[in-house]
Amino acid sequence: MMELTKENLVAYAAHYDSDARVSDKTEEDALKSILVVQRYLTKDQFVRVGIWKSPRQKKRYKSNDDVTVREITAFSFSAKTEQARLGALLALEGVSFPVASVILHFAFPERYPILDFRALWSLGWELPKSYNFRFWAKYCDKIRSIAMESSLSIRTVDKALWQYSKKNQK
């Protein structure tokens, strides 16, 4: 389990950034900047977000039609409750809790972390047999708490947890 000091988080996040492919960072920044003003995803943008997280599902992402993607993501981004926001995204083909978490993170970077098995391992959490809303909400609360206590962004915490696992998980 990772020691969650600010120094550790900053160091591992910096390693993540130095190891990351430039194209991943460029794509992340581009999609986040689109979602600052556009409060929905087009099908092409949705496919790009999905591929950024999990390329294996590309065919399933592409099976969604543009109108459905726009309608579901617009609803999700305007929903009043977190359960509705997340649940709507799960209706799209290829979207699992980790992919939905990326969509929400790109749309609300200061509110939602990215759910990933590597981050769970770094926290010392057991990977659930299947994700559910209660688990996801608990995970979001934990990452928000770490970010607040360390005065770091949610994304910095995400990167640090991911990188710690990559370097230390056997």
Side-chain angles (χ1 to χ4, degrees):
M1 187 166 106
M2 181 178 184
E3 187 180 349
L4 300 172
T5 64
K6 183 174 186 170
E7 295 74 26
N8 257 359
L9 293 166
V10 168
Y12 276 100
H15 281 30
Y16 176 98
D17 285 334
S18 67
D19 289 353
R21 294 189 327 234
V22 172
S23 60
D24 284 349
K25 178 68 173 143
T26 302
E27 187 73 338
E28 178 181 349
D29 291 346
L31 290 161
K32 282 180 177 178
S33 67
I34 288 167
L35 291 175
V36 167
V37 292
Q38 179 184 290
R39 299 313 285 164
Y40 63 87
L41 289 169
T42 65
K43 178 181 174 177
D44 289 343
Q45 293 161 347
F46 164 72
V47 170
R48 286 168 55 195
V49 172
I51 290 170
W52 185 91
K53 176 61 175 157
S54 180
R56 293 181 308 272
Q57 297 296 324
K58 182 178 180 179
K59 195 173 189 178
R60 293 185 69 207
Y61 305 141
K62 287 184 171 190
S63 72
N64 293 284
D65 68 84
D66 188 59
V67 173
T68 302
V69 170
R70 287 173 189 250
E71 187 172 0
I72 287 175
T73 58
F75 171 81
S76 173
F77 298 168
S78 66
K80 302 283 186 260
T81 67
E82 291 193 345
Q83 193 163 7
R85 188 169 278 166
L86 176 79
L89 296 173
L90 296 174
L92 293 166
E93 278 297 317
V95 175
S96 58
F97 276 79
V99 174
S101 76
V102 171
I103 294 168
L104 291 175
H105 173 73
F106 283 9
F108 305 95
E110 301 307 318
R111 180 102 186 109
Y112 296 105
I114 297 171
L115 180 60
D116 191 273
F117 76 93
R118 288 190 180 284
L120 296 175
W121 184 86
S122 295
L123 292 171
W125 289 20
E126 192 171 316
L127 188 64
K129 289 184 174 115
S130 63
Y131 293 111
N132 59 44
F133 178 77
R134 187 146 93 256
F135 181 88
W136 182 77
K138 179 181 166 187
Y139 177 76
C140 288
D141 288 345
K142 178 65 175 177
I143 301 304
R144 290 171 186 149
S145 173
I146 294 168
M148 187 180 308
E149 289 169 13
S150 61
S151 301
L152 297 170
S153 72
I154 284 174
R155 186 64 177 126
T156 299
V157 174
D158 277 339
K159 289 175 180 181
L161 293 172
W162 193 94
Q163 188 67 26
Y164 179 83
S165 167
K166 181 150 191 275
K167 294 289 184 198
N168 296 288
Q169 189 174 11
K170 304 282 185 254

